[in-house]
Structure formats: C-alpha cells, structure tokens
Amino acid sequence: MENLEFILRYVLCFLAIAVIFNCVLSLIRLRPEKKTYALLVDVTNDEQFPITCYETSIGRSKSCDIVFSNMTVSRSHAVIALRKDGFYVFDTDSKTGIHVNGEKIEKPKKIFNGDVIAFGTAVLNFYIGSEADDDMSHKKDAPIARATLTNLADDNVFRLEGDFVTIGRRKGSNIEISAPYVSREHAELTLQKNRWIIENFSSVTATTLNGEVIYSPTALENGDIIEIGDFAFRYNENR
Amino acid sequence: MKSISRRALVLYSIILLFLAGCGLLFFNLISHSEEWAMNKANKHLYNSGSLATAGDILDVNGEILVTTKNGSRSYNDDKSIRIATLHTVGDSSGYIASGVQSAFKNEITGYSLKDGVYNLQRYGKGNDITLTLNAEICKVAYNALGNYKGTVGVMNYKTGELICIVSTPSFDVYNKPKDIHTDTSGKYEGIYMNRFFSGLYTPGSTFKIVTAACAVENIPDIYEKEFVCNGKIQVGEGYVICSATHGKINFEEALNKSCNCAFAKIAEEVGNEALTRTAERIGFNGLGFVINDKINCSNSKLDLSNAKLLDLGWAGIGQYTTLINPCQMLTAISSIANKGFAVSPYLVSQIQTPNGREILKGETIELGQYFTEMVADELNVLLRSNVKNRYGDNLFPGIEMCGKTGTAEISDNSEAKPNGLFVGYSQREDMPFAIIVIVENTNSSMSSAVPIASKVMKAIKNEYTQ
Amino acid sequence: MLKKTRNVNLYIMLFIITLFQLVCLFTLLFKAEDEHRLNIFVSFALYILVEYLYFIGTRLILKRNGFEVELIAFLLTSVGLTITASVYPEATMKQFIAVVIGIMGFVALQWFMRELKPCIALRIPVAVIAVGLMAFAVVFAEYTNGARNWIYIGGISVQPSELVKVAFVFVGAASLEKLQSNKSLTKFIVFAFACVGALFLMHDFGTALIFFFTFVVISFMRSGDVRTILIVCTVALMGGLLILLFRPYVANRFAAYGHVWEYFDTSGYQQTRTMIYSASGGLFGVGIGNGHLREVFASTEDLVFGVVCEEFGMIMAGAILLSYVALLVYSIRHAKYARSTFYAISACGASALMLFQAALNVFGVNDLLPLTGVTLPFVSRGGSSIICCWMLLAFIKAVDRSTYRYGGVRQ
C-alpha cells in the first residue's frame, strides 16, 4: 500500500495537470471566430463597414466601432445591436437623429436587409450577411423533403433538386427563361444547411424577393415570391 | 464593442499583478521550504517540540546511536555512550545546534523539495547517517575526562575522519538535569556547546609547536643556538616568567622542558610578522572549518598587530590574546604527522535513503601543505623527543607517541586554576591518529591531560592494531 | 480570414477527470473509517453522475462545443470535495448537495441569460432583494469567527453575502442594456455602497473588499470613467482609514500581517502553520489524508490552499491558481464578441471577482496580504460559497456566444 500511495501521488498530480493544463491553454489561446453579421455601405463612396460584433457603436468619437468624421454625426450617435429576432438600431442621444428609410426614429427600430439608414447626413445601406443566420438559428433546420418553384403565370411547378439550381437565358439552365432582359446566368439557388439560398448574378435586371432587391445571398422561406423581370415564382417547401 | 474590449484589456494588469504575487509566493515557498518544513511546530517531524520521526545515526561500526521507535527518538542503550556522543549526535529538542540531528536536519528527516516529508510517511523514518565516530573510543574518552570540563578529539591524520569527539559537561538525554536552566554554580556552563567544534582556548605551551615551526623555517642555525634560563627573562619592557630555572639549554631541550625563556627569545627573534605568517598558514585567523559543509567551527586567533615586544614574547609561549579552536589545532598537528599535508576533518561518512540509495559520502579532502616535508620531519623528531625524554613512553606503550603539553593561564587571578592541554599523535603506520585533550581548571597538564590522552590512545591501540 | 478554433476533446478530458476522481475516491475510502465509507462513496458516485449528466446532456442535446470552463470547475470542485471528505467525512453529503445546487444554479442562470430582455428587466428587483437580504443579515445574522454573516434557517446556515455576490455582478452589468447607454454610475454606486456598508457592519472585511473590487471593475468596464472611480476609491480609502482610527480593534486583527513569525502561536498561528505544512508537502505532496494542517482551525475553508499544497503538492496548487487566471483571460478575450455589453461586463466582473477572492485567500494565508478569511473559489468547503462560485461561472459561460444559438427567426 505504501508503494501504491507513493505512485498515486504522482498519478493524481499528473491527471490534474493534464486537465488543467489543456483547459487553461485552450482558454488562453482560443479566440472567438470573427464573423461579419452585416454590412453598412456608404451610398456616396461605396465604403464598406462590416458589422462583426453583436453591438456596434457608430459616431464621430474614436472610441466608436464605426467612425464618421462627418460633423453632422454626434460623438456617439447610434448603436446597431443584433438581438434575438434581428437587428435593431438605437439612437444614443444624437443631436441629428437617425432616419431609417427616410423616417426619423423615435425609439429603437428593427432594421431589415436593404434598409437605408441615415446618421445625420451620412447615408448608408444596410445588408444582412448570411453569417447572421448561423448565429440566429439554434434549431437546426430539418431537411427539406420537397421544395418547389411555381410559375405564377402558368402554375407550372418546378421541383428543386440536387444542391443547386440555375436560372437564366442560357440553354441548359435548370430554369430557362428566354427573355432578352434576363441574363444568361441570372440567378442561382443553392442548398446550404437545409435551406435554399438565392443569389443574383445579373447586372442587367434585378432579382427581387417579396418586392425587395436581392444584393447578397438570401435564404428563402415558404411562400416567398421571387421576381425576375415579368416572371414571378412562388417558393414552397415541405420539411 | 471596441470600447468594452479595450477596457477589458486593462484587466490584464490585474492578471499580471496576480501572477507576480504567485511568483513571489512560490519563490518564498521554495526558497524557504527547508527552513519552514524544519520548524518545530511541524508535526510531521516533531512531537511537542522534540524531534520524533527521523532516520538513524550510526557510528563507524554500525552501532546505533539514535533511531526512531514508536514515534519518538530512541538513543543508544549504553548510558556512557549516550552521554559521550551527546554533543556529536545532538538532542531531540535541538538545543545542541552543532549536533548532527540539528545540523543535518534535512538529511536525517529525508526532506526533499520534490517529495516534501513524504518519505517519513512512507518509511516511518528519514535518511540514515553513518558517522566516522567510534562510540567505544568516545566512551573511553568520556570516562577518562571524569568530572573535568573539557574536550577530547581524535582524528585520523591521513584521511581526516574524526573518530572521537567528546565535550563535557554533558548529560544523559534520557535523564536531563532538572536544574540545567536554573543552576547558577556554573557546573552546566556551556553544556549545549560542543567544545571541540565551537570552543576557543588559550593554547599555552602547545603553541610552542607553532613557534618552533616558525623558528625552524626562519632561523637557519636554530639547533646551534644556546638559551639561558634564569627562571625569567627580560623581553622588551617586562619579564616573561618560566616554570623553572633551566640554565643553559639548546633548542630541543627547550622544547622538551617547555622553557618559556627560550621560546620568548625565539619569538622575539623571528618577529611578529614571521610568527603570524606561519600561524595563518596553518589556519589561524581564517574562517574556521565547516565540517561536512554543515557544522561550523570557531576559528583560531593570533593577533599581533598591536603587540609590543613583551606581548610577542608571551604570544610565543601561547599566552597573550592567542586562542585556538580544538578542531583546528588538531588539524594542524595532524599535518605534522602527515608529512606537512593537512586534510580536512569530517564526521559524516555516509547518508543513505531508506531504500538504500547513498546520497552523500564523506571523503578525504586535502587542505594543502601546512609545512614543507623537511620542516614536518624536524618537528616530528622534536615532538617524538618530548614524549620519549619528558613525558615517558611508558604512558604510551608501543604507540610511538609524539606530543606536546600545555598549561594555559586563563586569568590574572592566581586563584583560578589553569587549563591543561595535550596535543599529539602516533607515528605508527597502522594507527594514524592525532589527539587533542583540553581539560579546564586543572593543576597541571601532566596530571590531567596526559593521562587522559594515554587512556584514549591505549584504547585506540587495542581497537585498531593487532 | 476565419481562424479555426479547436477545443479540448471533451471525452478525453472527461476520462482523465473521472480517473482523477476515482483515485481520490479510492484513497479516501481506504483511509476513511467504516461508518463514513458509504457516505463518501455515494457522494462521489453521485457527483460523477451529475458531471456526466451535465457534459453528455449539453454535448448531445444542446450540441455545444467547448467545455474548458466547466471542466476546470468540476476538477476544482472535486479537489474541494476530496478535502472535505477527508477532513470532515460526515459533512461530505452536505457539501455534495451544495455542489449540486450550485450546478443547478449554474445551468438555470445560463438558461435565464439566453435572452437579454428579462435580465435588464430584472435588475431592479434583484437589486432590491439583494439589499434586503443584506439588511436582513445585518439585523439577524449571528457572530461566527468574528464576522457576523451567517443566517440560520431551520438548521441550515446560509451566508447571504455569498449569494449577493452573484446579484451584485448581475445588477452591475445589467444596468447597461447596450453600448453607450446609461453612462451614469450613480445608481450602481448607491447599490454598491449599501452592500459594502452592510458587510462592514457585519465585520466581514474580506468580502467587503471583494465587493469593492468588483464594483471598481464593473464600473470601469461600464463607463471607462477613471475620474469618478478614482474619487470613489479615494472616498473608500478615507472611510477605511477613519474606521481604523475609530475602531482600533479592526486594525488589531491585521496586526500580525507582515511578521507572522513573531506572532507564531497567537494571531500568526494559521499563517505560519500554512507555510510550514505547505513546505512540508513539497512538489507532489504527502498524499491525501496524511497532512497535519487539517488539524488547524478553518483548514478546509480559509487555509484550504495550504492543505492542497501539503497533501496534493505545490504543482497542483500552482495549477489551481493558473485556472483562475485562465477564466479571466477567457472572459477578456471573448468580451468583444459577446452577445451584448451585459454579457461582456458580467463575465469580466465575475471572473475578476473570483481571481481577486483567490488572491485574498492564497496571499492572505501566506502573509503576502493581510489574512481576511475569505474562501478559495470552488475548493473551500462551504455551501453558500460553492453555490456562489458555480453561479458566477454562468456569467463566464454566457460571454461566449457559441454557448447560445438564437431561434430560427429571420428578419
């Protein structure tokens, strides 16, 4: 027993060190993954301001995350925060206020993809990136059993199969639309993490989703209406 | 979030402070670990202030001087051995600081930074320490000392092994005198001190060996010189008194008869510089020995810097402010026996862990040459003639003894009895031992120190030769 | 652009931790008296079960990744449980129950903090309850070991100040809903003053110091307002000096500080014994149950660091100290990417609190700081203390956004 205890002392120490050393090293070295949740784009010069944190302060002060030297922007003007159900913009006692899509906000306002936000005279477009969805969906989506696009003009049903579906004028596209204003490769639907994502490739004609122009890859939901020129499709899915 | 994360970075300063504190903490713990672990409040080692669990101490023949039995220290069964080896072994309470139990605390408890005091848990004892000491010889020396205060030390002059160390007054650890701390008569004076290591004595005539060595080195015609002794001699502005009126004598007779007049004259002739040079070469005014790197000795002193001529005369015969440490003096005498080469005295020959691993081995360490071989040979002849012509070989039968006595006046008060000293060694190849005997407050060295030396050397002869 | 993070392998770590606990349990059972063996065995077995339930549950059902924080907490708790079982075998079950309550609190608080809104909404009620609890403690608590901070309810003793620690961090951080809002510290200063003042009245200066330190950290994180904080610190310092001036017995308590060896058998008794036995343990310790520091008063609470040094060794003790550092580093590094300022500040506040408390405990018993008699997080015996530590851990866990994934609601 004496010899066993003698050895167990070392074993005990070794085991504890193995756990603590590994965990401490991991805690000290791990850095959270940097994600770009959304993008603010200055309409005047196309300058991009990525939003990488859950809360982003905007103002003239150097301590803000996004700094404008514009004199109409207060020192600490606003905060854009990612909350449970989406992005909100908060006015933090600015002098010139915040306008979302031209309307001055009185209380924190939820903002959507494509919204135009003005801080004083600084006007920016707001785009939500796909990585925001990653963090916002804790329930993994169930696999899609059946997804379809229905041409609203003729009720023609096209079933989405495989990993991607192309839409365009080019012969051989999965969904071929032979109209001159439709680009050869106009848009693409891809299946990512059990969601169909639509992305626009055309620089000629806009692709809209529920009436809003798509600038970045956007996930589709049941009942969404996709429009390309005069053509309109309804997206349906069964899980 | 930039502002928050920047402020959070300031918290790194707290972490730095904390880490600095941890650094200091562990530095303290590790640098003081031995000192703290050896604290008397540590119940791993001590039981109400006295050492309870530790390794054994054995003498050169494997005789157990102290061991651990049933959670307390158990000493040798022979009361005389217990008392004789007390100062070398040390007591459980640590009063005797130069005792092996105190000086080798870490070793005997088996403490190590890696395992702490765990060996005590595991084996119920620490490391065993084997000494060079011979308990039987110590017992003889202790009995020979009788009621005198004093010390006896014996050393192998070829190897440096200390085979006998006795210091009196001593006591039995099992029966410690109740009045030891309250007594005012002085009978327990210096009872916790090992006189052999820590004592400082006026050398008296034994210092004439040093003066003689200096004379041999510095006065070419010393053997042709003739000295006149009228019972006293004028040196400088005063007189040096001699023990008798020796008349006309030569150098060898002067040493045999220990003539103060002759040696005061010799000291005057060689001068204080040469005398100091010789003395310092053989260890005077040094740092003192550290036996086995643990036990500190006092150091011998010879300070002639402010000495007048008369003082030099007195210093030449071992008075004035001269002081010797027994261990150092024994080493110096040993070097004469060993053709001028001095070896460092040592006490611990081996330290062994409970599982049989040797962690320390005592070895002979040469200290260098104290005397040239020629000077050593001449002193050898002179010291041999002392015993042959003066003290008598019948005291040291078959031992081929060399030596010198000394009677040291320790006070101007004529009531106070002087100290008796004897230093010497055997010339026999098969018993290369040197001895020092110091007896406090005695009538003469011939009646006290010499008989003690005789008894001890005879016992050694019985023990070590066929 | 993205740096791939790699967490420790949960299953390997869980295996090692289990081995560690089994070795501890084996040694404990071997040394324990017959009447306590069952008690110890059941407590440890259930503890290991709870541990597995937690890890397997969060891994397989919540599909979480990254368990370093909990692994450390579980390991430290098992060290504490081992020491408790070894010194006070009859109290093992009680301590185990407190640990389970703590873990449940940890899980519940994590769940509660998944959304920001209820946290912000609850800050005022929590503050009121906390102050009420402190006031109650001031009036009804009984003196134990010079400090009056124990309340006895139906045979169970509770230390309200430990529970208020959690509330303190919560309230301090929740007053800030988002960046740049509510910069004024006034309300928090009033709340902090009430808590610290109550602790002074209870003569629990160590905990008062912890609260004050946490207050400074949180208010700095919130406002970055160095000037206000300096003013508050100066006022606090002057207040402290006044107390020392008019209540000299307070100063007497710390008289041994700096020269404990001179007060070897009086007020420096605990510190000197801690140092003696820490040194006796060496790097690997003398083994569980073989120590002597356990015989000294409060060995499993205030002096537990010394017991770890003596019985587990200095290496393990050093590793334990490092783990507190790692928790704070983790909080600092995740602060930027936390889901809101609330999570960032509460995590930094909670981990700084634990580090400071560990510093007061460890440096106190080793005479680098005055001995204030606070517990060592996760390791010291004491129900309220262990519950508080586990709940504080929830704040640290919540700073990592990967702990939570939001519901599938799209803009």
Side-chain angles (χ1 to χ4, degrees):
Chain A
M1 182 59 201
E2 275 73 31
N3 284 329
L4 182 62
E5 191 186 32
F6 177 71
I7 294 162
L8 282 186
R9 290 161 54 239
Y10 296 116
V11 170
L12 214 52
C13 190
F14 174 78
L15 293 175
I17 294 295
V19 173
I20 293 183
F21 184 76
N22 271 305
C23 290
V24 165
L25 214 63
S26 165
L27 285 183
I28 288 176
R29 280 166 46 182
L30 279 187
R31 192 184 271 287
E33 205 176 314
K34 190 175 176 183
K35 290 180 176 176
T36 305
Y37 297 112
L39 208 59
L40 281 173
V41 182
D42 195 325
V43 293
T44 54
N45 55 9
D46 281 347
E47 194 183 346
Q48 296 192 342
F49 302 97
I51 289 177
T52 56
C53 296
Y54 271 77
E55 287 180 7
T56 306
S57 57
I58 295 157
R60 193 153 44 82
S61 161
K62 287 239 162 45
S63 66
C64 290
D65 295 305
I66 295 176
V67 183
F68 293 107
S69 49
N70 189 329
M71 286 309 286
T72 58
V73 178
S74 298
R75 294 185 58 78
S76 61
H77 196 108
V79 169
I80 291 178
L82 176 58
R83 291 282 184 258
K84 184 190 167 197
D85 53 348
F87 284 94
Y88 285 83
V89 62
F90 296 78
D91 190 334
T92 48
D93 304 324
S94 69
K95 289 203 180 75
T96 49
I98 299 167
H99 294 77
V100 177
N101 297 334
E103 281 177 41
K104 187 170 171 39
I105 63 164
E106 301 297 334
K107 55 182 195 283
K109 183 173 173 8
K110 192 173 178 186
I111 48 177
F112 298 93
N113 196 16
D115 277 355
V116 180
I117 309 170
F119 308 103
T121 58
V123 182
L124 300 108
N125 283 320
F126 176 75
Y127 302 115
I128 295 173
S130 62
E131 287 182 327
D133 286 335
D134 288 351
D135 270 39
M136 285 163 55
S137 52
H138 78 148
K139 280 185 214 137
K140 278 256 169 83
D141 293 308
I144 294 173
R146 178 187 153 92
T148 55
L149 284 182
T150 311
N151 189 338
L152 294 181
D154 54 10
D155 281 343
N156 215 343
V157 174
F158 181 83
R159 183 153 179 201
L160 300 176
E161 283 170 328
D163 279 346
F164 69 96
V165 172
T166 53
I167 303 173
R169 187 153 51 83
R170 176 202 286 277
K171 286 211 168 23
S173 298
N174 297 97
I175 299 176
E176 201 180 315
I177 307 172
S178 47
Y181 51 79
V182 174
S183 301
R184 294 173 60 79
E185 286 143 11
H186 195 99
E188 190 177 81
L189 292 155
T190 49
L191 185 63
Q192 289 173 13
K193 295 179 183 168
N194 292 328
R195 290 203 129 189
W196 282 99
I197 310 287
I198 185 163
E199 191 172 0
N200 178 47
F201 291 130
S202 170
S203 53
V204 183
T205 309
T207 307
T208 65
L209 183 66
N210 301 331
E212 289 179 25
V213 179
I214 302 169
Y215 293 94
S216 57
T218 310
L220 295 173
E221 278 198 11
N222 199 12
D224 278 354
I225 305 293
I226 302 164
E227 286 174 279
I228 300 171
D230 293 339
F231 296 87
F233 301 93
R234 189 176 65 239
Y235 171 77
N236 288 99
E237 63 180 26
N238 298 321
R239 288 182 190 264
Chain B
M1 296 292 273
K2 195 165 77 179
S3 52
I4 293 285
S5 67
R6 277 194 183 165
R7 287 172 203 154
L9 290 182
V10 176
L11 296 181
Y12 276 120
S13 61
I14 294 168
I15 291 179
L16 284 182
L17 273 177
F18 183 80
L19 289 177
C22 291
L24 184 61
L25 168 71
F26 283 102
F27 173 77
N28 277 344
L29 260 182
I30 289 171
S31 62
H32 290 98
S33 59
E34 295 182 356
E35 176 195 336
W36 288 350
M38 293 305 138
N39 192 293
K40 280 189 185 173
N42 190 343
K43 291 185 184 165
H44 286 291
L45 314 175
Y46 292 92
N47 186 0
S48 29
S50 61
L51 192 66
T53 322
D56 300 348
I57 296 180
L58 307 129
D59 87 340
V60 69
N61 296 323
E63 176 85 18
I64 292 173
L65 300 178
V66 61
T67 183
T68 292
K69 264 187 206 155
N70 305 326
S72 69
R73 295 297 268 169
S74 160
Y75 291 81
N76 193 287
D77 293 333
D78 186 330
K79 185 181 172 191
S80 296
I81 290 183
R82 281 203 300 273
I83 301 177
T85 58
L86 171 79
H87 290 93
T88 319
V89 170
D91 60 333
S92 302
S93 309
Y95 281 109
I96 299 164
S98 63
V100 170
Q101 283 199 101
S102 296
F104 288 83
K105 255 184 194 174
N106 293 334
E107 287 78 7
I108 202 165
T109 54
Y111 179 82
S112 71
L113 180 62
K114 181 171 139 259
D115 289 322
V117 296
Y118 181 72
N119 278 338
L120 289 179
Q121 283 292 339
R122 193 178 177 196
Y123 301 107
K125 66 177 204 171
N127 301 327
D128 293 340
I129 300 183
T130 308
L131 305 180
T132 57
L133 218 58
N134 187 321
E136 287 302 324
I137 304 294
C138 292
K139 183 176 162 184
V140 170
Y142 171 72
N143 288 333
L145 264 170
N147 291 325
Y148 284 120
K149 287 180 195 167
T151 178
V152 176
V154 179
M155 164 178 164
N156 182 322
Y157 54 72
K158 285 183 177 164
T159 61
E161 292 162 313
L162 291 162
I163 65 158
C164 169
I165 298 167
V166 173
S167 173
T168 51
S170 184
F171 61 90
D172 181 5
V173 277
Y174 284 163
N175 193 12
K176 192 172 173 178
K178 296 260 182 320
D179 55 346
I180 195 161
H181 294 293
T182 52
D183 180 79
T184 50
S185 70
K187 64 178 169 179
Y188 301 131
E189 182 207 349
I191 196 164
Y192 293 132
M193 180 174 89
N194 188 339
R195 285 168 155 76
F196 181 72
F197 290 133
S198 313
L200 279 174
Y201 289 97
T202 303
S205 300
T206 53
F207 191 76
K208 285 175 186 153
I209 299 171
V210 181
T211 312
C214 188
V216 171
E217 285 166 358
N218 293 292
I219 307 173
D221 59 343
I222 184 72
Y223 288 99
E224 280 83 60
K225 277 193 184 285
E226 199 164 72
F227 303 93
V228 181
C229 172
N230 296 322
K232 64 177 183 180
I233 190 167
Q234 187 176 9
V235 184
E237 293 174 350
Y239 290 92
V240 170
I241 316 294
C242 193
S243 54
T245 308
H246 298 111
K248 280 187 181 176
I249 48 171
N250 65 15
F251 180 53
E252 184 175 338
E253 285 168 338
L255 189 66
N256 288 167
K257 293 175 179 168
S258 198
C259 176
N260 288 352
C261 300
F263 274 87
K265 212 68 197 150
I266 292 170
E268 190 184 359
E269 193 168 339
V270 293
N272 60 11
E273 271 181 37
L275 192 57
T276 307
R277 208 162 48 232
T278 302
E280 289 188 349
R281 195 179 61 229
I282 64 170
F284 279 77
N285 302 342
L287 293 169
F289 290 130
V290 185
I291 309 293
N292 286 98
D293 296 326
K294 295 278 184 189
I295 303 168
N296 289 301
C297 294
S298 306
N299 67 311
S300 304
K301 292 185 189 76
L302 175 72
D303 182 9
L304 297 175
S305 53
N306 296 316
K308 298 190 184 99
L309 214 49
L310 179 62
D311 298 332
L312 177 61
W314 280 114
I317 60 166
Q319 296 293 146
Y320 186 49
T321 57
T322 314
L323 290 171
I324 55 153
N325 169 256
C327 184
Q328 186 269 326
M329 193 64 179
L330 185 61
T331 309
I333 294 303
S334 297
S335 74
I336 296 172
N338 197 28
K339 299 185 170 63
F341 291 94
V343 290
S344 177
Y346 71 93
L347 179 61
V348 172
S349 63
Q350 191 194 45
I351 300 180
Q352 204 176 33
T353 62
N355 52 14
R357 196 164 52 86
E358 185 178 83
I359 55 171
L360 185 143
K361 187 160 178 59
E363 279 169 344
T364 304
I365 299 166
E366 291 196 3
L367 289 173
Q369 202 166 8
Y370 275 6
F371 302 103
T372 64
E373 212 169 323
M374 202 188 74
V375 173
D377 278 346
E378 286 180 28
L379 290 170
N380 199 5
V381 171
L382 289 169
L383 292 174
R384 179 77 189 102
S385 80
N386 276 349
V387 176
K388 207 164 20 183
N389 302 336
R390 185 81 185 162
Y391 318 136
D393 268 341
N394 57 336
L395 282 170
F396 302 99
I399 298 177
E400 296 171 35
M401 194 69 186
C402 308
K404 179 78 194 80
T405 58
T407 305
E409 302 293 339
I410 48 169
S411 155
D412 291 336
N413 181 0
S414 55
E415 294 287 303
K417 286 182 176 177
N419 293 346
L421 296 89
F422 178 81
V423 293
Y425 54 88
S426 158
Q427 284 181 335
R428 283 180 61 155
E429 277 292 312
D430 54 354
M431 53 174 294
F433 294 106
I435 185 169
I436 184 165
V437 178
I438 298 176
V439 181
E440 297 175 18
N441 308 110
T442 178
N443 292 321
S444 83
S445 52
M446 273 310 288
S447 65
S448 56
V450 177
I452 293 169
S454 163
K455 283 180 193 163
V456 174
M457 290 309 281
K458 280 186 215 163
I460 292 172
K461 182 168 173 267
N462 284 338
E463 177 93 12
Y464 287 88
T465 64
Q466 271 79 43
Chain C
M1 181 180 97
L2 299 182
K3 191 177 164 189
K4 194 71 191 157
T5 57
R6 195 167 291 133
N7 291 99
V8 293
N9 185 318
L10 171 67
Y11 297 106
I12 295 177
M13 288 298 130
L14 201 53
F15 175 72
I16 299 177
I17 269 195
T18 316
L19 266 185
F20 177 85
Q21 287 156 345
L22 290 178
V23 170
C24 288
L25 176 61
F26 172 76
T27 319
L28 284 171
L29 289 180
F30 184 80
K31 304 228 162 177
E33 291 160 30
D34 288 338
E35 59 193 283
H36 298 304
R37 287 218 173 106
L38 183 68
N39 198 349
I40 293 171
F41 179 78
V42 170
S43 303
F44 265 74
L46 288 178
Y47 177 67
I48 295 174
L49 182 73
V50 167
E51 184 179 276
Y52 273 75
L53 278 180
Y54 175 81
F55 282 119
I56 304 298
T58 41
R59 178 86 190 96
L60 296 184
I61 298 168
L62 298 180
K63 300 206 185 302
R64 272 200 209 151
N65 221 340
F67 291 96
E68 290 86 355
V69 173
E70 300 97 310
L71 282 167
I72 283 181
F74 271 105
L75 185 80
L76 297 196
T77 306
S78 51
V79 171
L81 207 56
T82 305
I83 292 175
T84 302
S86 171
V87 182
Y88 299 106
E90 68 281 358
T92 317
M93 188 56 88
K94 202 170 144 193
Q95 181 68 10
F96 162 72
I97 291 169
V99 169
V100 172
I101 295 174
I103 294 171
M104 286 182 343
F106 167 66
V107 173
L109 195 55
Q110 270 187 72
W111 175 82
F112 177 74
M113 287 195 299
R114 78 198 184 284
E115 284 176 37
L116 186 59
K117 267 201 180 121
C119 297
I120 305 297
L122 265 184
R123 69 178 198 272
I124 301 289
V126 169
V128 170
I129 292 170
V131 171
L133 206 56
M134 289 301 249
F136 182 77
V138 169
V139 179
F140 293 103
E142 290 175 31
Y143 274 100
T144 312
N145 317 330
R148 193 167 58 171
N149 53 9
W150 291 91
I151 297 178
Y152 293 90
I153 306 164
I156 301 166
S157 55
V158 184
Q159 222 174 346
S161 57
E162 293 291 336
L163 304 177
V164 173
K165 270 183 201 165
V166 182
F168 190 79
V169 172
F170 181 86
V171 170
S175 307
L176 200 62
E177 189 192 350
K178 60 183 184 300
L179 279 167
Q180 301 181 344
S181 59
N182 197 5
K183 279 185 173 173
S184 162
L185 288 172
T186 321
K187 279 184 202 161
F188 186 44
I189 290 176
V190 171
F191 176 60
F193 182 79
C195 290
V196 174
L199 285 164
F200 262 94
L201 290 178
M202 291 187 271
H203 294 174
D204 190 352
F205 304 110
T207 314
L209 213 55
I210 292 171
F211 270 75
F212 184 73
F213 173 82
T214 315
F215 162 76
V216 170
V217 169
I218 291 180
S219 42
F220 173 73
M221 292 281 290
R222 275 173 54 169
S223 66
D225 185 351
V226 179
R227 212 177 61 188
T228 310
I229 293 165
L230 275 182
I231 290 171
V232 172
C233 284
T234 316
V235 170
L237 197 70
M238 280 161 61
L241 287 178
L242 277 180
I243 286 172
L244 291 184
L245 208 62
F246 290 107
R247 295 273 185 275
Y249 63 86
V250 175
N252 284 344
R253 263 209 212 175
F254 307 114
Y257 168 57
H259 19 58
V260 289
W261 295 99
E262 293 161 31
Y263 297 84
F264 191 72
D265 279 325
T266 53
S267 48
Y269 187 86
Q270 290 178 311
Q271 295 96 310
T272 50
R273 297 314 183 275
T274 305
M275 288 189 254
I276 287 170
Y277 290 119
S278 297
S280 300
L283 295 181
F284 292 97
V286 297
I288 299 165
N290 295 338
H292 280 291
L293 184 61
R294 51 179 55 223
E295 294 150 20
V296 178
F297 175 72
S299 59
T300 52
E301 294 95 9
D302 304 358
L303 312 186
V304 76
F305 183 75
V307 177
V308 173
C309 277
E310 188 189 14
E311 303 195 3
F312 291 86
M314 289 184 206
I315 292 181
M316 179 111 72
I320 288 176
L321 292 187
L322 268 191
S323 53
Y324 300 119
V325 171
L327 289 181
L328 182 52
V329 172
Y330 174 79
S331 303
I332 293 172
R333 292 185 69 131
H334 279 76
K336 185 172 185 184
Y337 299 103
R339 290 181 300 130
S340 125
T341 36
F342 165 70
Y343 301 106
I345 294 175
S346 60
C348 288
S351 48
L353 185 154
M354 277 200 227
L355 187 79
F356 185 71
Q357 186 171 331
L360 276 190
N361 174 287
V362 172
F363 299 153
V365 291
N366 283 288
D367 202 33
L368 298 179
L369 290 176
L371 182 68
T372 42
V374 298
T375 55
L376 186 64
F378 295 110
V379 185
S380 285
R381 190 173 69 99
S384 310
S385 162
I386 198 90
I387 293 170
C388 158
C389 292
W390 272 99
M391 288 181 76
L392 286 177
L393 203 68
F395 291 118
I396 300 174
K397 201 61 195 155
V399 75
D400 187 351
R401 60 176 183 203
S402 66
T403 303
Y404 303 94
R405 290 237 162 75
Y406 275 2
V409 180
R410 208 165 60 113
Q411 67 276 10

